[in-house]
Amino acid sequence: MAEPAAPSFGTRAAAAIAEHGPLCVGIDAHPSLLEAWGLPQTPAGLLRFSIGVVEALEGRVAAIKPQVAWYEAYGSSGMGVLEQTLEACRQAGILSIADAKRGDIGSTMQAYARTWLAEESSLRADAVTLSPYLGAGALEPAFELAEATGRGTFVLALTSNPEGASVQHRGAPESVAAAVAEAVSQRNSGALSASEQVMPGEDSNYDRFVTGPHGLVVGATTGEAIAQVGVDLAGLDGLVLAPGYGAQGATAQDLGAMFAQVRGRVLVNSSRGILAVGPEPQALQGAVSAAQAELSPELSAA
């Protein structure tokens, strides 16, 4: 008899959200944060910063999202630090999301997919962020590899930066963002294997965690734009990654209203709002606990 397929990233992430809460902490190694932590703006400082976050938050958050650009800024040494950070997440049992925002065509997209999603890659993460603006269909290599390896993707759909509206809102209510969301929803509809519908073991709550591996990035400050541009979250059957909580202005109540259709499947990212209280582990843990206390009542599955 064939071995049952491993749970998809979406299923694992939904279970992690149920256990730890909806908070995802971004490792945004901005120079001002390194300075505030008393660290040099060097690969060594970047390593201490990154590993300090992972060690402080083990067992406390569903996911950690390293911002790849700040590692790339230090060249090959910085990418080596990213490798160590992703390995630290694996050892700590924390889901990792590489915030790389990759998107290309053909063999180049295949190379990006292998970098972030292949089992043999030293930069493999549990999921990677993708840009669909060369066409959502061009992301097929990443979708396929994520499904084959039990990993996931988060596709930029509706971002909160002001510049994004000129492209993403175009054609509302049948907008570009709505078309991206629909493409991801369709991909999820065929991604979940039949074996995932059968509970492996004795956890009677397993079925409510079954979730597709492909999610959307929807900014936490986009508010009513979700409905105005026609993005259908109810039909997604996947996760939402929502940056913009806290320091960027979105409140837990805002998020509860925006994401009522996907409760239990939202990862709310906070970077500077958490990291600014460091470097002491107790301070980071306190900030995480306070954020979870605000977010969980608004976003936990009913």
Side-chain angles (χ1 to χ4, degrees), residues 125-148:
D126 288 292
V128 64
T129 58
L130 301 175
S131 173
Y133 294 108
L134 287 174
L139 302 177
E140 185 76 9
F143 291 154
E144 288 183 349
L145 190 54
E147 291 164 16

Side-chain angles (χ1 to χ4, degrees), residues 162-181:
E163 303 88 347
S166 65
V167 174
Q168 297 160 13
H169 294 200
R170 182 77 63 176
E174 297 179 357
S175 66
V176 172
V180 168

Side-chain angles (χ1 to χ4, degrees), residues 92-288:
I94 304 174
L95 295 174
S96 61
I97 302 169
D99 195 358
K101 299 182 178 70
R102 297 300 194 251
D104 215 306
I105 59 173
S107 60
T108 310
M109 192 63 230
Q110 291 174 356
Y112 282 140
R114 287 200 301 271
T115 298
W116 302 107
L117 299 168
E119 187 63 37
E120 66 272 15
S121 173
S122 60
L123 285 168
R124 68 191 183 280
D126 288 292
V128 64
T129 58
L130 301 175
S131 173
Y133 294 108
L134 287 174
L139 302 177
E140 185 76 9
F143 291 154
E144 288 183 349
L145 190 54
E147 291 164 16
T149 59
R151 295 185 168 86
T153 69
F154 285 98
V155 181
L156 302 177
L158 195 60
T159 60
S160 53
N161 62 303
E163 303 88 347
S166 65
V167 174
Q168 297 160 13
H169 294 200
R170 182 77 63 176
E174 297 179 357
S175 66
V176 172
V180 168
E182 175 61 22
V184 174
S185 296
Q186 290 180 359
R187 185 74 200 193
N188 270 336
S189 69
L192 292 172
S193 67
S195 64
E196 285 205 273
Q197 309 306 321
V198 179
M199 173 51 222
E202 300 180 356
D203 184 352
S204 62
N205 292 320
Y206 181 81
D207 286 344
R208 70 188 176 95
F209 296 144
V210 174
T211 304
H214 308 298
L216 298 175
V217 178
V218 179
T221 58
T222 53
E224 296 179 356
I226 296 174
Q228 292 169 352
V229 304
V231 170
D232 177 21
L233 294 180
L236 174 62
D237 196 23
L239 294 154
V240 172
L241 178 62
Y245 164 70
Q248 295 182 47
T251 68
Q253 291 73 27
D254 294 334
L255 291 160
M258 289 172 59
F259 299 122
Q261 295 174 311
V262 284
R263 288 173 65 98
R265 291 187 283 126
V266 182
L267 280 168
V268 179
N269 184 74
S270 180
S271 299
R272 299 188 199 186
I274 301 295
L275 303 182
V277 306
E280 293 302 322
Q282 294 85 351
L284 293 168
Q285 293 162 5
V288 163

